Amino acid sequence: NEKKKSKGNRSPCSPSRVLHIRQIPSGVTGAEVVSLGLPFGKVTNLLMLRGKGQAFLEMASVDAAVSMVNYYTPATPHLHNQPVYIQYSNYKELRTDNQHNQARPQAALQGVNAVQHGNLGITSALAAEGGVLPSHGSVLRIVVENVFYPITLDMLYQIFSKFGFVLKIIMFHKNNQFQTLLQYADATNAYYAKMSLDGQSIYTGCCTLRIDFSKLTNLTVKYNNDKSRDFTRIDLPFGDGQRTVETSLSTHFATQNTIFPSYTGPPGFAPALGFPQGAALGPLAVTTLAAPGHMTIPGIPGNSVLLVSNLNPEAITPYGLFILFGVYGDVHRVKIMFKKRGIALVQMADATQAQLAINYLNGQRLYGRVMHATLSKYQTIQLPREGQEDKGLTKDYSNSPLHRFKNPCSKNFQNIFPPSDTLHLSNIPPSVTVDDLKNLFTSKGSTVKGFKFFQKDCKMALIQLGSVEEAVHALIELHNHDFGEHQHLRVSFSKSTI
């Protein structure tokens, strides 16, 4: 037992860069265990206890280990279709210098780290561990077996985007099989995706992914539609076939750069891996899955519930999350975890709005911390039962009058912008002066750097604050501020500066 060996009296749950992984199925390789940690940073050591179905994984930093535990606690990872459980170890570091029986895991570790750091020469060490051969490209061939529920291009994009920048996808049927060719920007990302997803099922018991490397080195996409897409080219024609995806948002996204803005990735996912933004999902709205069934890959594509982590437990409230996430969609429910106040679930009206919120709010600073937003494995937020202790941490906002997107023709759809230090104010009563507004924002702790009423319309103004984070806090505090006589201030992020 791990506890008996530990020296000192560290409690089992205090963070350590060494993680204890249990219930590992027999036959799982060291490389597969290492692949659980790779998205969060460099893995520096591995100790496999094969007979016990356990392993110790050492990350380069405590932060990476914390990110990994935070990510996998609500979304249990699977190896060989079995759940495995990860917790902090009592060890502060691993010493495996002279352990017999550890040569192959060490070879795997060197190989995988070599791949991660761009040196494909050492990957032959991985071949001994049942890993990859050095020569593989960036194009994967994916066969989906037992397709019980419909698979869309957007679902595949969401799943595979967790591992890198997806350039192109082509879906087709061949030999009565559902197949996809998917090209990453980098062969390393293709390798991670194959390692992590091969053999996984999108839903329990069906839609199983079989992944290998394609002999093709580059895909040519002629049309951007629901069967093929080149995410680097917005200008391609739609081609034949019926338009089955909603494109109401495409006008907004067409103005953005075609290559996505920088992105910090899902919780703790190292930017070094070049994770994509996922903004391409905007114009081609993800259709919400009507299918029942339980998805097994963490973060359900087409899901509308977000997992928001690394929040400041002292400052965060359900209402604050409702207002902030409400800039990008209609928030129906919010739940702050009773035992872990730094983690919350936010349920949006639909999958498109959930994806927009991730695109714009993941990596944003809120109350002094960098917030992480990703898709949750839950498909709905349960309200507490009568008499259940909750301390007001779960709120239902489904009938709130503050929803910005209830009306499908609302101008709000055209005014969705990333958080910025300049806020757009509207619904300002005629009696309210520049000084009144400046004082209002200053009273909430903001530094006002600039202010301008719109020339044609004194009901609207721009106000520039000291930083993006200040503007985020001010929006939460002052959206819907009551000036009296049923006049409520409307606040949103502006694309303009003063």
Side-chain angles (χ1 to χ4, degrees), residues 107-415:
L109 189 66
Q110 284 170 347
V112 177
N113 275 321
V115 176
Q116 187 176 19
H117 298 94
N119 174 358
L120 290 165
I122 320 176
T123 49
S124 51
L126 260 180
E129 183 59 11
V132 295
L133 296 166
S135 58
H136 67 76
S138 58
V139 179
L140 296 177
R141 188 175 70 100
I142 303 150
V143 175
V144 186
E145 294 175 349
N146 195 1
V147 183
F148 192 70
Y149 299 123
I151 304 290
T152 66
L153 188 144
D154 293 299
M155 282 171 62
L156 293 171
Y157 178 82
Q158 278 192 342
I159 292 169
F160 283 84
S161 286
K162 287 195 189 307
F163 300 91
F165 184 2
V166 175
L167 297 181
K168 300 166 188 174
I169 301 180
I170 301 171
M171 295 183 352
F172 55 95
H173 278 85
K174 185 177 174 184
N175 308 336
N176 284 335
Q177 282 182 317
F178 179 96
Q179 298 197 22
T180 299
L181 292 169
L182 182 145
Q183 182 177 347
Y184 279 105
D186 190 309
T188 314
N189 304 120
Y191 164 76
Y192 289 139
K194 180 185 185 307
M195 277 255 291
S196 301
L197 296 175
D198 188 23
Q200 292 266 21
S201 297
I202 301 179
Y203 295 92
T204 309
C206 67
C207 301
T208 305
L209 300 171
R210 300 278 172 232
I211 303 172
D212 53 41
F213 294 106
S214 166
K215 293 184 180 69
L216 297 169
T217 53
N218 187 35
L219 299 180
T220 307
V221 174
K222 293 180 184 161
Y223 303 111
N224 278 346
N225 56 30
D226 55 345
K227 292 283 178 275
S228 64
R229 208 163 307 157
D230 181 336
F231 293 99
T232 64
R233 302 257 325 259
I234 285 180
D235 55 317
L236 290 179
F238 190 80
D240 304 333
Q242 294 301 305
R243 179 153 266 191
T244 56
V245 274
E246 181 58 52
T247 54
S248 60
L249 293 162
S250 57
T251 46
H252 161 59
F253 277 93
T255 60
Q256 308 241 349
N257 300 335
T258 47
I259 302 295
F260 309 127
S262 64
Y263 175 52
T264 54
F269 274 44
L273 293 184
F275 283 84
Q277 164 65 328
L281 283 168
L284 303 145
V286 187
T287 46
T288 308
L289 296 173
H294 166 66
M295 280 197 160
T296 54
I297 292 176
I300 304 174
N303 190 9
S304 59
V305 179
L306 303 174
L307 172 71
V308 187
S309 57
N310 201 36
L311 296 167
N312 181 338
E314 306 298 315
I316 203 65
T317 62
Y319 178 79
L321 289 170
F322 163 66
I323 292 294
L324 179 57
F325 280 75
V327 173
Y328 300 107
D330 292 340
V331 176
H332 284 193
R333 288 179 180 178
V334 177
K335 181 184 189 74
I336 293 176
M337 298 302 190
F338 187 72
K339 293 196 171 145
K340 290 191 175 173
R341 302 288 170 94
I343 298 178
L345 296 172
V346 176
Q347 184 171 338
M348 308 295 287
D350 62 42
T352 313
Q353 295 181 0
Q355 193 61 48
L356 274 177
I358 290 175
N359 292 347
Y360 287 119
L361 294 176
N362 181 43
Q364 175 56 53
R365 288 185 70 83
L366 180 64
Y367 303 122
R369 295 195 181 186
V370 176
M371 167 172 62
H372 298 307
T374 183
L375 290 173
S376 161
K377 64 171 185 175
Y378 300 105
Q379 288 186 290
T380 182
I381 292 177
Q382 298 291 332
L383 294 175
R385 295 186 298 280
E386 278 295 312
Q388 197 179 345
E389 193 182 13
D390 178 68
K391 298 208 170 146
L393 295 174
T394 309
K395 294 279 189 204
D396 185 281
Y397 294 104
S398 46
N399 296 319
S400 169
L402 296 185
H403 288 167
R404 296 178 190 238
F405 304 101
K406 271 204 301 257
N407 174 358
C409 308
S410 165
K411 277 195 180 158
N412 291 334
F413 282 102
Q414 283 127 53
N415 294 317

Side-chain angles (χ1 to χ4, degrees), residues 27-44:
V28 167
T29 63
E32 288 172 301
V33 174
V34 170
S35 75
L36 291 174
L38 281 176
F40 303 92
K42 189 172 176 186
V43 177
T44 48

